[in-house]
Amino acid sequence: MSSQKVMASTPADAEKIYAKAAKAELARDYNSAFRHYINCAESYLYLSSADGLADKTKGDLKASAKKALERAEKIKSFVNSTRQANKNSPAASGSMPPPLRPVAIRHLSVEERARVIHRGSRINGLNFPKFSNSADKSPNIHQPSLSPEQVQESAVWREPKHPIIDLDLLPQEIVQQFVTDCSLCASMSVYTAHCNQFQRQNILAAQLGENSGIIHMKLLFNGAWRRVSTDNQLPFHPQEERLLCVSCNRGILWPSYVEKAFMKLMGGYNFSGSNSSIDLYILLGWIPEHLDMRSPNFQRETVWKRIVAQHAQGNCLVTLGTGRTVTQEWQGSVLLPAHNYAVVKVEEHGDSDRTMTILDSWVDTGERLTEARTLTISWDDIPNVFEGIYLSWDPSLWSKQLHFHGSWKKNNDSSVTTASTLRLNLNVSMLAIPRKEVRGQEREIWLLLTRHISDTSNTMEYISLEAGFEEQIDGKAIRSLNVGVPGKNSYTNSPHYLCKVLIPLYLTSGSLGINCCYDGMHENETGFSLSVYAPNGADISWNETTEELPYAQTINGALTIKNSGGNATYPTFMMNPQYHLKVHSDRTGQANSSRSAVVFSLQTSKEVPVHIIGTWSSKTGERVMQLSQTDIAFSSGSHVYGHARVATKLNPGEYTLIVSSFEPEQTGAFTLKCESQTLLEITPILQEGAEMYREVVEGEWTMETARGAPRFGKFWENPKVLLTLKESCEVKIRLQLSVPSSSTALNLSVFDDESRQLVKTTGPYDDAISGVVTETFALKAGKYLVVPSTYQPDVLGGFRMFCYSTLAGIGVEKL
């Protein structure tokens, strides 16, 4: 079933969809009826949101939407109640209606994208609509709040007495004194230098024009260019003709007005600052890239070559940032902490003469307004003096671009994780590169994930992005049991996350899977934008024909100290949460040989690396204790921080699904979503020894007690544990090594204490990482000897025994 639906463009079209729904309902095709009624309601609501509608028309459309939703709810109620009533009646099972298929959100629809963009217009309690060429008839001229420093100076709002319209400005003339917006000042300075060098129009200054008291700035925020309207008043000193905001000594005012609009958008002049690549994205729409120069992955020479080549062509803007806590010095010049510096010149005269000329826009309060301080620093010193380098890339460098606007939804159960992941698939086709030209022909697709912001003061929201070309063999994802160390937790509280995907050299077509990840939900919904930038020779498009799986269910769980067993190399792997899956072949559960498409998605905290793996199951509800390569039916691959996902096709039958962290005792709530083409039943599998009492015995094999198997003649010198039962009960015992070893085979045997007759054994010696375990067996009241042993003698080390019983307070004594 395709995920695409028909959205009505007129009320008449919506009425036709309603008629289809009613016809399907009469024919008892409840799934089709339910889907059409929901589609009809969406259509009416979409039509009611159009601009310029009369109130009566808008009310009629919403009433029609309500009517369609009510019919959908009645169908849902009828189907659910009928299925429940007939559930235990074999005679009625043939007439039982199939379960309703959920109607999924159409993330790629024009209407859904428009809704996300419209929702993003509300920022810090104010409305910032999309920018249009026609002026807003009633713009919101709310003055941005002043900073504490401005309030201390008793700043007042008034119009400049002698405004200078001149747009020509030197970058060093832009200075700051009362507002901590060094990133914005550096952004305007570096862009001014760029316009002067390449003789380009300064679009920031040009937006002011000949205003008539109202200024409309065009800023990119929450996925759209938005109109930020202000009047022409600025904060002045009450007794002096002195600006208390960004200014320049010749009285050119466009930087002050740009700052005012920016501060209004960001919630006021008490701006904590960001970095210039973020600000330049808002001002110009250029792609932000942040490089941490203190990172061990920072490649000094490679970065220099990129910058010197692209800066000279006007393709990128560069700023630098110092660390947050330490005041740096360079050749007697003090550099402020957490401060941004504009790079206005990049020069190279041989390998030994590579420099950057930077501007410091800050002027101390009380100083006479002067130009920004200029420093020329060697590239060799830059990584030692500064912490971050911020690049802004002209998006016109990429000939092919796509933009998506979507949202992360909060889980309805507030007790589970606040994280969320939305997956998209990108179709990519490339012109093949001849083999003789392959060398040096690296091609990349850039992905920019941008989180939408409703409250600029909230710094506790995090995003991440992962992408990779999907490899398949005979239509199946490649499976692997290899356990690799999970990648570094790459979540950031920056609004942007840039990911570069290397295109395989011989790729001519493929699918790029993209996971857009979020953690820190403070609202029911958080919007985001994903921009794709592809090189020449590439064709890109969203995969809009992805099959929407009709059955879905969500399970809320948790990795706790007791059940977080780590990856498959740990003996505690068997403790991880496990679920029994039963995959039906069609929606009624009738048997046939068709395979079912399934998708399992796991979401947890950004601090926990997680994994999903599935095995074939021969016994219903039995836990998997150890994995081998041949056991695996599906896997999500390596452990990934915050989420895991696997999509595959399964034959009808029974499986075991296991959720694991990378290390034992990594904890966190999780949400497991299971989507399937056919009916799928999923039930938790109880832990080993569930509903039984447990006693744990710690012991060790020493030089005196490591006597090995009976064949070596000293079996009874192995460690022994006396088990005392006051009455009959059922027992189950597991033996594990304290330190796992795949070369040590174990056995555990239970004997009658008096006769030394064998009562139960775990069977042949086994080197399983999870250890060995008896079946659950019955014991009469009495005393029994439990003997743990290794196959080979003289194997020293600790062991752990888990004794499960249906009787409380059994006696367990080491002899």
Side-chain angles (χ1 to χ4, degrees):
M1 174 184 162
S2 170
S3 64
Q4 297 199 52
K5 305 175 194 173
V6 178
M7 180 64 75
S9 57
T10 66
D13 292 336
E15 290 173 9
K16 291 178 181 178
I17 298 174
Y18 188 93
K20 281 184 182 180
K23 184 177 180 181
E25 185 178 2
L26 288 172
R28 297 186 179 182
D29 182 359
Y30 298 118
N31 263 304
S32 295
F34 183 71
R35 187 173 69 254
H36 287 317
Y37 279 131
I38 294 295
N39 191 12
C40 177
E42 289 178 344
S43 297
Y44 277 122
L45 289 174
Y46 172 67
L47 293 169
S48 71
S49 65
D51 294 332
L53 286 180
D55 290 343
K56 184 180 184 307
T57 303
K58 186 173 292 189
D60 291 343
L61 292 170
K62 287 185 176 180
S64 297
K66 182 180 178 182
K67 177 183 175 184
L69 278 177
E70 287 174 348
R71 288 308 311 164
E73 285 297 324
K74 286 185 178 180
I75 289 175
K76 182 178 179 181
S77 177
F78 169 76
V79 169
N80 289 344
S81 61
T82 303
R83 287 183 60 82
Q84 187 63 35
N86 296 338
K87 191 173 184 179
N88 299 317
S89 173
S93 60
S95 60
M96 183 187 297
L100 290 179
R101 300 173 180 177
V103 180
I105 297 173
R106 300 173 304 116
H107 294 288
L108 290 164
S109 70
V110 174
E111 298 79 22
E112 175 63 12
R113 297 190 208 185
R115 186 193 67 80
V116 171
I117 292 296
H118 177 72
R119 189 176 185 278
S121 63
R122 194 72 177 172
I123 304 159
N124 294 317
L126 298 176
N127 190 55
F128 296 94
K130 289 178 66 176
F131 194 94
S132 61
N133 291 328
S134 57
D136 193 340
K137 295 179 181 179
S138 55
N140 176 9
I141 312 300
H142 172 83
Q143 300 288 17
S145 60
L146 298 172
S147 70
E149 292 79 9
Q150 290 170 319
V151 172
Q152 187 174 355
E153 292 286 329
S154 302
V156 295
W157 293 99
R158 66 168 179 256
E159 296 181 17
K161 292 181 179 179
H162 307 290
I164 299 177
I165 307 301
D166 187 6
L167 304 184
D168 293 331
L169 190 66
L170 296 175
Q172 59 267 33
E173 292 184 279
I174 301 174
V175 295
Q176 62 174 137
Q177 193 169 41
F178 289 94
V179 184
T180 57
D181 58 352
C182 58
S183 60
L184 179 61
C185 291
S187 298
M188 291 190 287
S189 295
V190 77
Y191 178 59
T192 299
H194 168 83
C195 293
N196 293 348
Q197 180 180 352
F198 295 98
Q199 298 183 342
R200 296 177 181 173
Q201 183 190 37
N202 186 321
I203 61 173
L204 299 178
Q207 288 188 60
L208 275 66
E210 295 288 344
N211 68 79
S212 57
I214 302 296
I215 298 169
H216 301 289
M217 288 294 298
K218 184 179 179 182
L219 301 177
L220 180 58
F221 207 79
N222 289 353
W225 289 100
R226 301 193 179 275
R227 182 190 302 277
V228 182
S229 301
T230 64
D231 59 20
N232 60 0
Q233 296 186 60
L234 293 170
F236 279 89
H237 190 279
Q239 281 83 40
E240 305 172 21
E241 192 63 18
R242 177 162 59 93
L243 282 169
L244 301 180
C245 59
V246 162
S247 53
C248 62
N249 59 4
R250 289 193 289 126
I252 297 176
L253 295 176
W254 71 258
S256 304
Y257 286 121
V258 170
E259 180 193 42
K260 181 180 180 182
F262 190 94
M263 293 305 150
K264 179 177 179 179
L265 182 68
M266 301 305 292
Y269 280 94
N270 191 26
F271 180 57
S272 59
S274 56
N275 71 59
S276 294
S277 63
I278 295 175
D279 296 354
L280 284 165
Y281 172 84
I282 297 172
L283 297 173
L284 307 176
W286 284 30
I287 304 168
E289 180 179 10
H290 171 211
L291 301 176
D292 181 1
M293 291 190 283
R294 303 297 168 86
S295 167
N297 300 320
F298 179 70
Q299 299 176 329
R300 179 186 303 203
E301 295 306 308
T302 301
V303 171
W304 172 260
K305 290 176 182 178
R306 286 178 64 207
I307 291 175
V308 75
Q310 298 301 323
H311 188 269
Q313 298 178 45
N315 294 330
C316 81
L317 305 176
V318 186
T319 60
L320 300 170
T322 50
R324 288 193 172 275
T325 57
V326 180
T327 299
Q328 294 279 358
E329 283 196 17
W330 180 81
Q331 296 186 0
S333 297
V334 176
L335 300 175
L336 299 174
H339 195 58
N340 272 215
Y341 295 83
V343 176
V344 295
K345 191 179 292 185
V346 178
E347 294 182 297
E348 180 178 53
H349 304 288
D351 291 340
S352 61
D353 187 10
R354 303 181 297 181
T355 61
M356 286 184 170
T357 301
I358 69 170
L359 299 180
D360 179 5
S361 60
W362 180 257
V363 177
D364 286 331
T365 305
E367 288 187 17
R368 187 176 64 84
L369 196 60
T370 60
E371 290 186 352
R373 183 169 50 130
T374 302
L375 299 171
T376 300
I377 304 179
S378 167
W379 172 248
D380 293 334
D381 291 338
I382 292 288
N384 299 322
V385 176
F386 297 93
E387 188 172 282
I389 185 166
Y390 308 109
L391 306 177
S392 296
W393 297 91
D394 186 347
S396 65
L397 288 171
W398 287 265
S399 57
K400 301 294 177 63
Q401 300 181 20
L402 279 179
H403 303 280
F404 169 83
H405 309 289
S407 62
W408 296 291
K409 299 294 181 67
K410 184 176 182 178
N411 193 299
N412 291 330
D413 186 344
S414 60
S415 66
V416 301
T417 176
T418 57
S420 179
T421 298
L422 192 144
R423 184 176 177 86
L424 298 167
N425 288 286
L426 184 73
N427 299 321
V428 180
S429 61
M430 296 290 300
L431 294 175
I433 299 178
R435 288 183 178 270
K436 63 181 180 179
E437 299 178 14
V438 162
R439 185 179 296 275
Q441 292 289 329
E442 288 191 349
R443 302 172 296 177
E444 290 179 331
I445 290 178
W446 285 24
L447 306 171
L448 179 65
L449 177 66
T450 300
R451 170 174 53 87
H452 293 186
I453 299 171
S454 59
D455 179 1
T456 54
S457 66
N458 186 353
T459 60
M460 299 304 293
E461 295 181 275
Y462 299 84
I463 59 172
S464 184
L465 188 146
E466 293 177 341
F469 284 96
E470 297 179 338
E471 296 181 84
Q472 293 189 335
I473 295 178
D474 297 331
K476 298 180 182 178
I478 295 176
R479 300 170 184 152
S480 174
L481 184 58
N482 296 335
V483 179
V485 177
K488 181 182 178 182
N489 190 342
S490 55
Y491 281 77
T492 176
N493 63 353
S494 166
H496 302 290
Y497 192 105
L498 181 65
C499 177
K500 302 176 184 178
V501 181
L502 191 64
I503 303 173
L505 290 172
Y506 304 113
L507 178 80
T508 55
S509 65
S511 177
L512 183 65
I514 306 170
N515 290 323
C516 303
C517 311
Y518 173 89
D519 195 358
M521 193 80 69
H522 73 291
E523 294 185 333
N524 290 330
E525 178 180 351
T526 298
F528 69 88
S529 297
L530 179 67
S531 298
V532 183
Y533 304 93
N536 288 329
D539 281 323
I540 53 176
S541 62
W542 298 117
N543 185 349
E544 299 190 40
T545 60
T546 302
E547 186 176 39
E548 199 70 63
L549 300 179
Y551 298 96
Q553 51 188 308
T554 299
I555 295 174
N556 295 323
L559 289 164
T560 67
I561 293 294
K562 291 185 177 181
N563 72 4
S564 178
N567 66 63
T569 65
Y570 289 96
T572 50
F573 175 78
M574 65 179 192
M575 296 165 51
N576 284 305
Q578 299 188 15
Y579 299 89
H580 175 252
L581 304 179
K582 185 175 182 180
V583 179
H584 294 277
S585 56
D586 61 28
R587 64 186 186 181
T588 62
Q590 300 294 322
N592 64 42
S593 59
S594 63
R595 301 172 73 210
S596 174
V598 294
V599 176
F600 301 107
S601 305
L602 181 72
Q603 193 74 55
T604 186
S605 164
K606 65 182 184 300
E607 288 86 12
V608 183
V610 287
H611 177 253
I612 298 171
I613 199 163
T615 67
W616 285 280
S617 176
S618 58
K619 295 183 179 179
T620 301
E622 187 157 309
R623 292 186 72 80
V624 173
M625 298 302 173
Q626 182 164 328
L627 286 178
S628 67
Q629 186 70 49
T630 56
D631 294 329
I632 300 172
F634 54 87
S635 169
S636 62
S638 299
H639 286 72
V640 177
Y641 281 95
H643 67 95
R645 182 183 185 275
V646 57
T648 187
K649 289 190 175 182
L650 297 177
N651 288 318
E654 299 186 25
Y655 303 83
T656 299
L657 182 148
I658 306 166
V659 172
S660 71
S661 57
F662 185 72
E663 299 280 356
E665 299 187 4
Q666 290 180 315
T667 62
F670 66 78
T671 298
L672 176 65
K673 184 176 182 181
C674 308
E675 301 169 272
S676 56
Q677 187 178 23
T678 61
L679 189 62
L680 183 149
E681 297 176 42
I682 179 166
T683 53
I685 299 176
L686 295 176
Q687 287 283 353
E688 182 177 73
E691 301 178 351
M692 300 177 80
Y693 299 97
R694 187 180 79 162
E695 298 286 344
V696 181
V697 179
E698 301 275 358
E700 63 176 334
W701 292 284
T702 66
M703 291 294 294
E704 291 75 27
T705 61
R707 297 310 190 190
R711 63 170 294 184
F712 295 102
K714 297 183 178 181
F715 176 78
W716 288 104
E717 295 181 24
N718 279 297
K720 293 178 283 295
V721 175
L722 181 63
L723 202 64
T724 303
L725 305 181
K726 295 180 179 180
E727 57 183 82
S728 299
C729 67
E730 291 188 335
V731 175
K732 184 175 189 174
I733 308 175
R734 174 172 291 278
L735 172 67
Q736 287 183 342
L737 294 171
S738 299
V739 179
S741 171
S742 59
S743 61
T744 302
L746 302 177
N747 170 270
L748 183 140
S749 296
V750 182
F751 301 87
D752 181 86
D753 184 38
E754 291 184 7
S755 66
R756 298 292 173 97
Q757 291 293 314
L758 180 66
V759 176
K760 199 68 178 178
T761 180
T762 57
Y765 283 82
D766 195 334
D767 59 5
I769 290 292
S770 59
V772 292
V773 65
T774 68
E775 295 177 344
T776 301
F777 62 102
L779 283 179
K780 296 179 180 179
K783 294 185 178 182
Y784 300 88
L785 284 179
V786 182
V787 182
S789 63
T790 61
Y791 179 75
Q792 295 291 344
D794 302 323
V795 177
L796 310 184
F799 64 83
R800 184 181 297 113
M801 277 175 41
F802 299 92
C803 301
Y804 304 102
S805 67
T806 56
L807 179 65
I810 62 172
V812 178
E813 179 186 358
K814 288 194 293 183
L815 300 179

